Amino acid sequence: MALPALDSPNWQGTAAAFALGLRSVVSTILTLVLFATYIGIGALAHDTHFSLFWALASTLFVWAGPAQIILLSTLGSGATVIQAALAVAVSAIRLFPMVVSVLPMLRMPQTRKRQLILPSHFIAVTLWVECFRLLPQVPRERRIAFVNGLGSGLVAMSMTATLIGYQLAANLPSLFGAAILLLTPLAFLLSTARNCRQLSDVVALVLGIALFPLVSLLHTGVDILISGVSAGTIAYGVHRWRRRP
């Protein structure tokens, strides 16, 4: 679905921008990936003996597939609420750079902090990728409403998939459920590759993929973090070097 031109009258009013954001949910293949992923999360919630209410609440309030898997698996294995909260909090740290990179695209001089609370909650891998793809086509004064619409649509779709997965859990093979959960990192990798615009982006992605198998041999327990930070630092150095006069 193509968005209207920046000067189109279709952008008049926050309600129209919200509706366009809601409609944009169907314009990305990541929606299908999310749907399949949350079917798996719904099945996991059933298998770990969570009620349907708490399964849906985790999708609504946590809104991050890996963090929800950690929450469900840790509480399901008998961990305390504090232990589960700490594990989810550590997992959520990875979203902080995404929030920091998206909020400047939404903020205007007159924007109030409370207007950014809901968009900040919606920013996860899928929304982060789609913001970089779609926001350049959205007037800056309508971007918050647009992101709220897009985020609301993605969350609603994910809650629907959670419900379906929960109800199908009795007939969903465990191997199939595990395979579904792999769709999110694979889709994120492909979307990141598609959105590479500069040499530094390509260097970071390629080095991150190349370094991970080597770093994993060290068995540090934080292999992804080490390879990602190393690749990103090198890519930043390449970017600064190319900008030198």
Side-chain angles (χ1 to χ4, degrees):
M1 184 195 75
L3 292 175
L6 291 175
D7 57 354
S8 171
N10 292 330
W11 290 113
Q12 293 181 359
T14 56
F18 182 92
L20 286 169
L22 201 60
R23 288 172 53 194
S24 295
V25 171
V26 302
S27 71
T28 172
I29 190 64
L30 293 181
T31 298
L32 297 179
V33 174
L34 263 184
F35 192 84
T37 299
Y38 274 90
I39 286 179
I41 290 176
L44 176 64
H46 178 276
D47 291 342
T48 48
H49 308 293
F50 276 78
S51 68
L52 178 59
F53 171 80
W54 284 112
L56 294 174
S58 72
T59 298
L60 178 62
F61 294 111
V62 178
W63 177 230
Q68 286 177 252
I69 294 172
I70 291 172
L71 176 67
L72 296 172
S73 59
T74 51
L75 290 179
S77 63
T80 66
V81 173
I82 295 177
Q83 290 172 323
L86 288 174
V88 171
V90 171
S91 170
I93 290 175
R94 79 192 197 284
L95 300 178
F96 181 73
M98 299 182 188
V99 175
V100 171
S101 64
V102 170
L103 289 189
M105 302 170 67
L106 307 179
R107 187 183 294 117
M108 297 180 65
Q110 66 272 26
T111 301
R112 298 181 179 179
K113 292 182 179 179
R114 66 171 180 266
Q115 294 176 283
L116 300 174
I117 294 176
L118 189 57
S120 298
H121 172 66
F122 286 142
I123 297 173
V125 172
T126 302
L127 192 68
W128 177 73
V129 171
E130 290 306 298
C131 280
F132 278 90
R133 182 174 73 92
L134 296 174
L135 287 186
Q137 308 171 51
V138 181
R140 179 169 285 272
E141 66 273 14
R142 300 298 179 220
R143 288 182 179 179
I144 292 179
F146 179 85
V147 169
N148 285 340
L150 179 60
S152 297
L154 291 173
V155 171
M157 180 276 305
S158 298
M159 292 182 67
T160 301
T162 301
L163 173 62
I164 294 173
Y166 193 93
Q167 299 296 338
L168 293 177
N171 301 313
L172 188 67
S174 58
L175 181 61
F176 179 68
I180 283 177
L181 295 178
L182 285 176
L183 288 175
T184 295
L186 288 175
F188 177 54
L189 175 62
L190 295 175
S191 298
T192 303
R194 182 190 64 183
N195 289 336
C196 287
R197 297 287 186 268
Q198 303 181 29
L199 177 62
S200 57
D201 299 332
V202 178
V203 171
L205 181 62
V206 172
L207 280 181
I209 295 174
L211 288 176
F212 176 71
L214 300 177
V215 176
S216 64
L217 297 176
L218 301 177
H219 303 290
T220 62
V222 287
D223 306 332
I224 295 178
L225 177 63
I226 293 175
S227 57
V229 170
S230 301
T233 302
I234 294 172
Y236 178 72
V238 170
H239 176 70
R240 291 294 300 269
W241 176 75
R242 296 190 71 227
R243 292 184 61 185
R244 291 177 60 186

